[in-house]
Amino acid sequence: MKNAKLAKSYRIDDGKHFRLKDFDPADIGHWHSEDAAREKLQEDIARMADLQDKLYAQDRWSVLLIFQAMDAAGKDGTIKHVMSGVNPEGVQVHSFKAPSEAELQHDFLWRTTVPLPERGHIGIFNRSYYEEVLVVRVHPKLLENERIPSSLVTKNIWEERYEDISCFERHLERNGTVIRKFFLHLSKKEQKRRFLARLETPDKNWKFSADDIRERECWDDYQQAYEQMIRHTTTKNAPWYVVPADNKWFTHLVVAAAIVETLEDMELAYPEVDAAKSKELEVARKLLLKK
Ligand code: ATP
Ligand code: MG
């Protein structure tokens, strides 16, 4: 129950009335400190490992977790911490970069289909097809690289993309993929602090990219694009979570709780042993005992 409550406050059930400004990036719920939350996070990580084992054994459903955020919001760290307890064999992570020449020869969903999780697996998209209504919307010049026939590029293109993405996700749901989407909601002030840390700490220098500073200049456009995206693409079966991201420990807590809640709702179980299988096991046991 505790899980359901913690994650539920950040799940967007009603897209129509969603406003990003109603969500505080510095929110930490009633958890006053990282120390207080540590035990809960460890419990959820352990629970996740247990449920993932069943998901894998059952080999019917798959789970797709999508992460989107501004730079330095902590996507990578969240994936690393939250998934730290699960069997790596059952998890597939894919990071989407700017599309290659070959990928630009296809529709924008094409490159996202092959890395989808197999049955029994958890797939993680670090960025996703949602970039097509985020970075591409903020920088419409990128659309030109996509070589879409010009008569098809109208003022409705973003609405059309929301619709196409929602239909694609419904198709996946209908085939056994359970989808959850996480927007790590960082404040502009905290991003500045993290960028400065990247510049001033030698071990963090490698994370710094001059592009990130340029994207920061478009902060307000991005926030609007995120708001529109969530309004149009949150659904009952594939909801967005707006996860406060100014405190990394709280981000991890909410994401872990949301994943555990999702897996618990799936009523996963180890495959049942039928009479024939039972007999096979008994024969094998006898054979082993003989020698
Ligand atoms: P991250 O910033 O996620 O930690 P990174 O720094 O390792 O990852 P980047 O080189 O920043 O990797 O790659 C991600 C970049 O690719 C982002 O700037 C993102 O906006 C861009 N990108 C992803 N998908 C698309 C797309 N469909 N069209 C254009 N640009 C895209
Ligand atoms: Mg980057």
Side-chain angles (χ1 to χ4, degrees):
M1 274 320 286
K2 226 170 157 192
N3 275 324
K5 270 193 206 143
L6 174 62
K8 195 171 179 276
S9 333
Y10 305 101
R11 193 179 71 206
I12 312 304
D13 293 317
D14 174 14
K16 236 186 239 154
H17 296 102
F18 173 71
R19 288 272 180 278
L20 199 49
K21 68 171 171 46
D22 296 338
F23 288 77
D24 176 9
D27 184 11
I28 52 169
H30 67 275
W31 298 86
H32 301 293
S33 69
E34 179 172 4
D35 282 345
R38 191 167 291 128
E39 196 182 332
K40 160 94 170 92
L41 179 63
Q42 289 316 316
E43 274 171 26
D44 277 354
I45 289 175
R47 182 88 189 105
M48 204 185 300
D50 182 46
L51 289 160
Q52 186 236 2
D53 202 47
K54 291 186 175 130
L55 175 82
Y56 190 85
Q58 202 177 40
D59 200 20
R60 291 293 181 272
W61 298 95
S62 55
V63 175
L64 174 62
L65 307 173
I66 294 181
F67 289 86
Q68 290 289 162
M70 296 298 286
D71 285 299
K75 283 187 277 100
D76 300 79
T78 301
I79 294 165
K80 185 167 92 182
H81 278 92
V82 172
M83 304 312 286
S84 60
V86 302
N87 181 351
E89 249 192 295
V91 182
Q92 298 155 343
V93 186
H94 192 90
S95 299
F96 289 94
K97 309 285 179 190
S100 68
E101 267 305 304
E103 289 167 345
L104 286 167
Q105 291 291 351
H106 298 268
D107 70 280
F108 73 84
L109 287 173
W110 179 81
R111 70 171 179 156
T112 67
T113 57
V114 173
L116 285 167
E118 294 166 45
R119 295 194 192 282
H121 288 67
I122 298 178
I124 296 178
F125 279 4
N126 184 348
R127 301 183 189 270
S128 65
Y129 40 78
Y130 281 105
E131 291 293 328
E132 295 289 337
V133 293
L134 294 168
V135 67
V136 183
R137 185 165 191 174
V138 171
H139 302 288
K141 271 204 106 26
L142 291 171
L143 261 181
E144 289 166 24
N145 301 338
E146 298 189 9
R147 303 199 192 99
I148 303 166
S150 59
S151 61
L152 301 180
V153 182
T154 70
K155 64 176 180 16
N156 299 327
I157 188 150
W158 312 117
E159 303 283 331
E160 289 167 0
R161 287 187 166 195
Y162 298 139
E163 192 182 314
D164 293 340
I165 287 172
S166 297
C167 288
F168 177 61
E169 290 183 347
R170 202 170 57 210
H171 158 74
L172 296 177
E173 284 157 28
R174 286 175 170 162
N175 283 274
T177 302
V178 172
I179 304 172
R180 295 292 181 269
K181 305 176 294 208
F182 300 95
F183 167 52
L184 307 191
H185 184 28
L186 182 73
S187 69
K188 197 172 180 188
K189 200 168 131 208
E190 178 62 17
Q191 192 199 45
K192 179 177 181 175
R193 208 188 59 75
R194 292 186 190 173
F195 279 170
L196 283 173
R198 288 181 180 185
L199 290 167
E200 291 163 3
T201 318
D203 285 358
K204 291 188 175 173
N205 283 169
W206 65 274
K207 285 192 190 172
F208 178 77
S209 149
D211 286 347
D212 295 352
I213 300 286
R214 276 195 290 278
E215 291 309 290
R216 179 178 164 82
E217 313 227 309
C218 308
W219 184 272
D220 292 344
D221 293 342
Y222 269 110
Q223 300 299 302
Q224 264 190 31
Y226 275 111
E227 184 175 86
Q228 288 301 316
M229 171 193 83
I230 293 167
R231 285 177 75 107
H232 288 90
T233 61
T234 201
T235 61
K236 189 174 165 290
N237 289 329
W240 277 103
Y241 289 82
V242 174
V243 185
D246 278 8
N247 296 283
K248 290 178 182 175
W249 61 268
F250 191 66
T251 310
H252 303 167
L253 196 69
V254 173
V255 171
I259 299 172
V260 168
E261 181 194 333
T262 301
L263 294 170
E264 275 174 347
D265 281 353
M266 291 167 66
E267 292 176 352
L268 301 166
Y270 291 109
E272 293 219 359
V273 177
D274 59 16
K277 182 78 182 172
S278 209
K279 204 167 165 197
E280 189 186 314
L281 296 177
E282 189 48 30
V283 171
R285 202 177 73 91
K286 282 192 181 138
L287 258 175
L288 269 174
L289 287 173
K290 258 191 208 161
K291 289 183 197 166

